[in-house]
Amino acid sequence: MNYTLHQLQIFLKIAEKQSITKASEELYLTQPAVSIQLKNFQSQFPIPLTEIVGRKLFVTDFGREIAHSAERILNEVEGINYKMQSFRGKLAGRLKISVVSTGKYVMPYFLSGFMKSNTGVDLIMDVTNKARVVEGLENNEVDFALVSVLPDHLKLNKIDLMKNVLYLVGNPNYFEKILLSKSMFVKDTPLIFREQGSATRLAMESYLKGRQIQVGKRIELTSNEAVKQAVMAGLGCSVMPLIGIKNELGNGDLNIYPKKGLPIQTTWNLVWLKSKKLSPVASSFLDYLGKEKERIIHEDFSWYEKY
């Protein structure tokens, strides 16, 4: 057999995505290039690795076994590269972090300096909702997770990174009169919520329940960006994290409306399992945060104080 590491990488991605199109997008390759490599890889095995049923690609049982082997081989090769760099006195390895969706506006600033100083470190950052982040922690799939609400069923260590502040916001062209009225909310004003499992939704619902506010029209969207665009378009108003609407506030596309009990304030926490044995890379990142956290907050998030 004469297959290459590149072919193993491509076939593993095809097996993960169950799609040549999705694999090509993930690998930044053209579909024809991925198809050719799959064909060349398949030619070295007498048993089919994939099959097409209808117009959908499926990986065969044999193909799944080969994919598992490919993953082990690629991990070993990656480990060899990290060991080589370590012997040269260079910090090397992989840092895996799971981040709740609004945390994408926070975490990169705390990673940037560390990654620039440690070019032998590879970063994998998964941005998803709170439920998936907690699942990743439970399954020990990541080194760290960034959350604003701590899961109470897990034993965790944590570092407080910075405050997370949520305000009631709306498009001034649509909601100025309604949101400045004496009543807390008007039933005819739609409220836009994140999906179930979102920490932002939990904070918003806790606020409404605590003040016994009856919601009339409800709209549910599955990302913070979608909520922001909907609010700007005048579909409704929402309680949103300040961290994700800096530009829109500056441009006048959104306004903050003062209401009793707002803003809601929580804390962005970097957490990890107490039972987890941290890698040298993970430990180095914690040391970096201990030294640089306050500087990063001062340099990159001082605009917070304006609000």
Side-chain angles (χ1 to χ4, degrees):
M1 291 190 177
N2 196 31
Y3 48 77
T4 65
L5 293 175
H6 185 52
Q7 288 173 341
L8 290 175
Q9 182 186 36
I10 288 175
F11 180 67
L12 179 59
K13 188 59 68 176
I14 291 171
E16 289 175 355
K17 298 298 178 182
Q18 298 280 302
S19 166
I20 289 175
T21 300
K22 292 179 180 179
S24 65
E25 291 172 353
E26 289 270 329
L27 296 168
Y28 301 100
L29 297 171
T30 64
Q31 290 184 42
V34 171
S35 296
I36 289 170
Q37 290 299 326
L38 175 61
K39 182 179 179 181
N40 292 339
F41 189 56
Q42 173 66 79
S43 68
Q44 300 179 71
F45 300 94
I47 304 172
L49 300 170
T50 62
E51 57 185 356
I52 304 294
V53 178
R55 300 181 64 181
K56 185 172 176 59
L57 180 144
F58 292 89
V59 179
T60 64
D61 289 342
F62 178 69
R64 282 193 288 271
E65 291 295 326
I66 296 301
H68 291 319
S69 296
E71 184 174 22
R72 288 195 296 271
I73 291 168
L74 292 169
N75 285 338
E76 286 295 326
V77 171
E78 189 176 68
I80 290 171
N81 291 334
Y82 290 148
K83 287 176 183 177
M84 179 181 67
Q85 293 182 71
S86 295
F87 270 99
R88 291 176 174 175
K90 193 175 185 180
L91 183 66
R94 181 182 289 175
L95 184 63
K96 297 181 71 174
I97 301 178
S98 185
V99 178
V100 293
S101 56
T102 48
K104 65 177 177 281
Y105 302 108
V106 175
M107 201 66 233
Y109 292 93
F110 290 93
L111 285 162
S112 179
F114 179 77
M115 296 303 297
K116 287 177 181 176
S117 299
N118 298 283
T119 56
V121 174
D122 292 327
L123 172 66
I124 298 175
M125 190 172 80
D126 180 34
V127 180
T128 183
N129 67 17
K130 182 194 170 190
R132 179 67 189 96
V133 168
V134 173
E135 183 182 336
L137 275 173
E138 286 180 308
N139 296 334
N140 197 30
E141 296 171 357
V142 296
D143 296 306
F144 303 108
L146 183 69
V147 295
S148 58
V149 179
L150 295 174
D152 54 15
H153 66 290
L154 295 177
K155 294 181 179 179
L156 300 170
N157 290 319
K158 71 182 181 75
I159 291 180
D160 298 343
L161 289 188
M162 59 179 286
K163 63 183 178 181
N164 179 37
V165 185
L166 298 93
Y167 284 95
L168 174 67
V169 297
N171 183 318
N173 296 324
Y174 293 90
F175 298 112
E176 192 80 39
K177 292 181 181 179
I178 292 174
L179 294 175
L180 290 178
S181 65
K182 292 181 180 180
S183 60
M184 183 61 71
F185 289 97
V186 177
K187 286 189 176 181
D188 289 337
T189 305
L191 281 181
I192 303 176
F193 292 79
R194 286 286 306 278
E195 77 284 2
Q196 290 286 353
S198 161
T200 300
R201 177 179 178 133
L202 179 63
M204 187 172 174
E205 288 183 330
S206 296
Y207 168 76
L208 294 170
K209 182 178 180 181
R211 300 206 163 260
Q212 298 181 325
I213 298 171
Q214 296 297 316
V215 178
K217 297 181 180 179
R218 300 170 68 105
I219 298 173
E220 182 176 308
L221 299 173
T222 57
S223 75
N224 198 63
E225 189 62 31
V227 172
K228 181 167 64 177
Q229 294 299 326
V231 173
M232 287 195 296
L235 280 177
C237 57
S238 187
V239 175
M240 298 190 67
L242 178 62
I243 194 71
I245 55 175
K246 176 185 178 184
N247 292 336
E248 290 73 21
L249 290 172
N251 296 336
D253 295 325
L254 292 176
N255 270 9
I256 289 174
Y257 295 95
K259 293 292 180 182
K260 190 173 182 180
L262 290 175
I264 302 166
Q265 184 166 317
T266 61
T267 302
W268 288 112
N269 301 284
L270 191 72
V271 301
W272 64 100
L273 293 174
K274 282 189 174 181
S275 59
K276 186 170 184 64
K277 184 178 180 181
L278 294 177
S279 68
V281 169
S283 295
S284 294
F285 181 56
L286 289 182
D287 291 341
Y288 169 81
L289 288 178
K291 296 173 184 175
E292 301 294 334
K293 182 181 76 169
E294 296 303 324
R295 177 190 62 79
I296 293 168
I297 293 171
H298 176 73
E299 291 183 1
D300 296 309
F301 298 101
S302 58
W303 63 270
Y304 244 53
E305 303 309 318
K306 178 181 177 182
Y307 301 96

